Amino acid sequence: MRRIEHMPLPEIARAVRNPKEHDLPAIRRSIEAFGCTLAGELDERTGRLVAGHGRLHVLEEMADDGKSPPEGVRVGDDGVWLVPILRGWTSRSDADAEAYLVAANLLTERGGWDHGMLADMLTDIGAADEALLAAAGYTSDDLADLDELAPRDPEQAPPNPVTGPGPAERVERRPCGASSSPASRRPSRSNSWSG
Protein backbone atom coordinates (compact mmCIF):
# COMPACT_ATOMS: atom_id res chain seq x y z
CA MET A 1 0.00 0.00 0.00
CA ARG A 2 1.37 3.40 -0.98
CA ARG A 3 1.75 5.92 1.83
CA ILE A 4 3.62 9.10 2.74
CA GLU A 5 5.96 8.63 5.68
CA HIS A 6 8.09 11.33 7.30
CA MET A 7 11.58 9.86 7.52
CA PRO A 8 14.77 11.21 9.13
CA LEU A 9 16.68 13.00 6.37
CA PRO A 10 20.14 11.57 7.23
CA GLU A 11 18.80 8.01 7.18
CA ILE A 12 17.44 8.01 3.63
CA ALA A 13 19.73 5.91 1.44
CA ARG A 14 20.25 7.18 -2.09
CA ALA A 15 20.33 5.09 -5.26
CA VAL A 16 23.72 3.56 -5.96
CA ARG A 17 23.66 5.15 -9.44
CA ASN A 18 21.78 8.28 -10.46
CA PRO A 19 22.71 9.88 -13.79
CA LYS A 20 20.28 12.80 -13.36
CA GLU A 21 21.90 16.20 -12.94
CA HIS A 22 20.15 18.85 -10.85
CA ASP A 23 19.81 22.62 -10.84
CA LEU A 24 20.18 22.85 -7.06
CA PRO A 25 19.74 26.64 -6.75
CA ALA A 26 16.46 26.43 -8.71
CA ILE A 27 15.25 23.51 -6.60
CA ARG A 28 16.08 25.50 -3.46
CA ARG A 29 14.15 28.57 -4.69
CA SER A 30 11.16 26.37 -5.41
CA ILE A 31 11.26 24.63 -2.03
CA GLU A 32 11.59 27.98 -0.26
CA ALA A 33 8.59 29.34 -2.18
CA PHE A 34 6.26 26.33 -2.18
CA GLY A 35 7.42 24.12 0.67
CA CYS A 36 8.05 20.41 0.37
CA THR A 37 5.07 18.33 -0.70
CA LEU A 38 7.08 15.18 -1.41
CA ALA A 39 10.82 14.85 -0.97
CA GLY A 40 11.27 11.54 -2.76
CA GLU A 41 10.20 7.96 -3.44
CA LEU A 42 11.72 4.90 -1.81
CA ASP A 43 12.06 1.37 -3.19
CA GLU A 44 11.01 -1.04 -0.43
CA ARG A 45 13.13 -3.89 -1.84
CA THR A 46 16.42 -1.98 -1.78
CA GLY A 47 15.59 0.56 0.91
CA ARG A 48 17.02 3.20 -1.43
CA LEU A 49 15.67 6.31 -3.09
CA VAL A 50 14.43 6.04 -6.69
CA ALA A 51 13.26 9.66 -7.07
CA GLY A 52 14.03 12.92 -5.28
CA HIS A 53 17.83 12.96 -5.05
CA GLY A 54 18.10 16.67 -5.90
CA ARG A 55 15.36 17.63 -3.46
CA LEU A 56 17.01 15.69 -0.64
CA HIS A 57 20.39 17.25 -1.43
CA VAL A 58 18.85 20.73 -1.18
CA LEU A 59 17.03 19.86 2.06
CA GLU A 60 20.33 18.64 3.54
CA GLU A 61 21.99 21.93 2.53
CA MET A 62 19.17 23.93 4.10
CA ALA A 63 19.38 21.94 7.33
CA ASP A 64 23.18 22.28 7.40
CA ASP A 65 22.81 26.05 6.83
CA GLY A 66 20.61 26.25 9.94
CA LYS A 67 17.53 27.30 7.97
CA SER A 68 14.04 26.72 9.29
CA PRO A 69 12.47 23.62 7.80
CA PRO A 70 10.21 24.39 4.83
CA GLU A 71 6.50 23.72 5.03
CA GLY A 72 5.89 19.97 4.79
CA VAL A 73 9.07 19.04 6.69
CA ARG A 74 8.73 18.12 10.35
CA VAL A 75 11.39 18.25 13.04
CA GLY A 76 11.95 15.26 15.32
CA ASP A 77 12.49 15.52 19.07
CA ASP A 78 16.22 15.23 18.37
CA GLY A 79 16.14 18.19 15.95
CA VAL A 80 16.51 16.02 12.84
CA TRP A 81 14.42 17.00 9.82
CA LEU A 82 11.73 14.47 8.93
CA VAL A 83 10.90 14.65 5.21
CA PRO A 84 7.85 13.27 3.37
CA ILE A 85 8.79 10.15 1.40
CA LEU A 86 6.48 8.03 -0.73
CA ARG A 87 6.71 4.43 0.50
CA GLY A 88 5.16 1.19 -0.67
CA TRP A 89 6.64 0.65 -4.14
CA THR A 90 8.80 -2.44 -4.54
CA SER A 91 11.09 -3.06 -7.48
CA ARG A 92 11.45 -6.57 -8.90
CA SER A 93 15.22 -6.27 -9.48
CA ASP A 94 18.07 -3.77 -9.52
CA ALA A 95 17.43 -3.23 -13.24
CA ASP A 96 13.74 -2.56 -12.49
CA ALA A 97 14.69 0.03 -9.82
CA GLU A 98 17.10 1.79 -12.15
CA ALA A 99 14.60 1.72 -15.02
CA TYR A 100 12.03 3.44 -12.78
CA LEU A 101 14.60 6.04 -11.69
CA VAL A 102 15.35 6.90 -15.33
CA ALA A 103 11.67 6.81 -16.35
CA ALA A 104 10.61 9.08 -13.48
CA ASN A 105 13.05 11.71 -14.74
CA LEU A 106 12.82 11.24 -18.51
CA LEU A 107 9.21 10.56 -19.39
CA THR A 108 7.88 13.91 -18.16
CA GLU A 109 10.54 15.67 -20.25
CA ARG A 110 9.24 13.99 -23.39
CA GLY A 111 5.69 15.26 -23.00
CA GLY A 112 6.39 18.67 -24.50
CA TRP A 113 4.49 21.88 -23.85
CA ASP A 114 1.73 23.96 -25.33
CA HIS A 115 4.01 27.00 -25.71
CA GLY A 116 1.18 29.51 -26.04
CA MET A 117 -0.60 28.30 -22.92
CA LEU A 118 2.69 28.08 -21.00
CA ALA A 119 3.63 31.64 -22.04
CA ASP A 120 0.19 32.91 -20.97
CA MET A 121 0.41 31.12 -17.64
CA LEU A 122 3.93 32.33 -16.90
CA THR A 123 3.04 35.89 -17.94
CA ASP A 124 0.15 35.86 -15.45
CA ILE A 125 2.39 34.40 -12.73
CA GLY A 126 5.10 37.01 -13.39
CA ALA A 127 2.54 39.83 -13.34
CA ALA A 128 1.21 38.58 -10.00
CA ASP A 129 4.62 38.05 -8.40
CA GLU A 130 8.05 38.09 -10.08
CA ALA A 131 9.42 35.89 -7.27
CA LEU A 132 6.86 33.19 -8.14
CA LEU A 133 8.03 33.26 -11.75
CA ALA A 134 11.58 32.61 -10.52
CA ALA A 135 10.35 29.91 -8.14
CA ALA A 136 8.69 28.22 -11.11
CA GLY A 137 12.11 28.19 -12.75
CA TYR A 138 11.62 30.91 -15.36
CA THR A 139 12.81 34.46 -16.06
CA SER A 140 11.34 37.27 -18.12
CA ASP A 141 13.91 36.37 -20.82
CA ASP A 142 12.44 32.86 -20.92
CA LEU A 143 9.01 34.42 -21.54
CA ALA A 144 10.36 36.23 -24.60
CA ASP A 145 11.78 32.95 -25.90
CA LEU A 146 8.43 31.21 -25.33
CA ASP A 147 6.60 33.98 -27.13
CA GLU A 148 8.70 33.23 -30.20
CA LEU A 149 7.68 29.55 -30.04
CA ALA A 150 3.95 30.20 -29.58
CA PRO A 151 1.81 29.85 -32.73
CA ARG A 152 0.99 33.23 -34.32
CA ASP A 153 -1.88 31.95 -36.46
CA PRO A 154 -4.93 30.63 -34.54
CA GLU A 155 -5.13 27.89 -37.19
CA GLN A 156 -1.72 26.62 -35.98
CA ALA A 157 -2.68 26.56 -32.31
CA PRO A 158 -3.30 23.11 -30.86
CA PRO A 159 -6.95 22.36 -30.08
CA ASN A 160 -8.12 22.73 -26.52
CA PRO A 161 -8.32 19.34 -24.82
CA VAL A 162 -11.89 18.18 -24.34
CA THR A 163 -11.43 15.06 -22.25
CA GLY A 164 -8.62 13.27 -20.51
CA PRO A 165 -6.58 13.86 -17.43
CA GLY A 166 -6.63 17.26 -15.75
CA PRO A 167 -3.65 19.60 -15.61
CA ALA A 168 -2.10 17.89 -12.58
CA GLU A 169 -1.90 14.62 -14.49
CA ARG A 170 -0.37 16.25 -17.58
CA VAL A 171 2.35 18.28 -15.91
CA GLU A 172 5.80 17.15 -14.94
CA ARG A 173 5.94 15.80 -11.41
CA ARG A 174 8.12 18.32 -9.62
CA PRO A 175 7.03 18.10 -6.02
CA CYS A 176 9.22 19.82 -3.52
CA GLY A 177 10.82 21.91 -6.19
CA ALA A 178 12.44 19.39 -8.49
CA SER A 179 13.78 21.31 -11.43
CA SER A 180 16.14 21.05 -14.34
CA SER A 181 18.80 23.47 -15.50
CA PRO A 182 17.68 26.78 -17.05
CA ALA A 183 18.85 25.70 -20.50
CA SER A 184 16.91 22.44 -20.42
CA ARG A 185 13.79 24.15 -19.05
CA ARG A 186 13.29 26.06 -22.25
CA PRO A 187 11.11 24.02 -24.57
CA SER A 188 12.80 23.35 -27.87
CA ARG A 189 11.23 24.27 -31.20
CA SER A 190 10.24 20.64 -31.68
CA ASN A 191 7.78 20.96 -28.78
CA SER A 192 9.77 18.65 -26.53
CA TRP A 193 12.24 19.21 -23.76
CA SER A 194 15.85 19.59 -24.65
CA GLY A 195 18.76 18.54 -22.50
Side-chain angles (χ1 to χ4, degrees):
M1 174 182 225
R2 302 282 165 38
R3 66 195 182 282
I4 304 289
E5 183 177 313
H6 281 77
M7 297 179 62
L9 183 57
E11 296 177 18
I12 301 169
R14 289 4 180 233
V16 175
R17 299 191 300 177
N18 179 23
K20 179 71 172 88
E21 295 177 350
H22 300 92
D23 182 349
L24 299 176
I27 293 172
R28 186 168 182 152
R29 281 191 302 273
S30 186
I31 290 174
E32 289 172 345
F34 306 120
C36 182
T37 58
L38 185 64
E41 301 173 34
L42 195 79
D43 177 359
E44 297 298 330
R45 184 185 65 82
T46 64
R48 294 185 174 279
L49 208 62
V50 289
H53 294 83
R55 288 168 267 163
L56 289 188
H57 184 92
V58 166
L59 290 169
E60 286 173 332
E61 285 180 348
M62 292 173 74
D64 291 346
D65 291 347
K67 300 290 183 186
S68 297
E71 182 181 354
V73 173
R74 300 176 183 166
V75 179
D77 293 337
D78 57 358
V80 172
W81 284 16
L82 306 172
V83 299
I85 299 291
L86 180 64
R87 304 284 310 261
W89 180 76
T90 303
S91 63
R92 296 176 293 264
S93 66
D94 289 349
D96 191 49
E98 287 188 338
Y100 177 78
L101 184 150
V102 170
N105 284 290
L106 177 65
L107 296 180
T108 56
E109 293 175 4
R110 291 198 171 168
W113 289 89
D114 176 325
H115 295 126
M117 187 183 303
L118 178 61
D120 288 347
M121 184 180 279
L122 293 172
T123 298
D124 292 346
I125 292 168
D129 185 342
E130 193 72 25
L132 282 177
L133 183 64
Y138 285 86
T139 67
S140 53
D141 289 340
D142 294 329
L143 290 178
D145 292 345
L146 281 172
D147 189 49
E148 291 178 22
L149 297 174
R152 301 273 179 240
D153 180 356
E155 298 286 323
Q156 295 175 348
N160 291 329
V162 197
T163 60
E169 289 82 14
R170 288 191 307 265
V171 211
E172 179 176 355
R173 290 179 325 112
R174 286 194 177 184
C176 199
S179 178
S180 56
S181 69
S184 66
R185 269 196 314 276
R186 292 187 182 133
S188 71
R189 295 192 186 279
S190 66
N191 197 33
S192 64
W193 283 97
S194 60

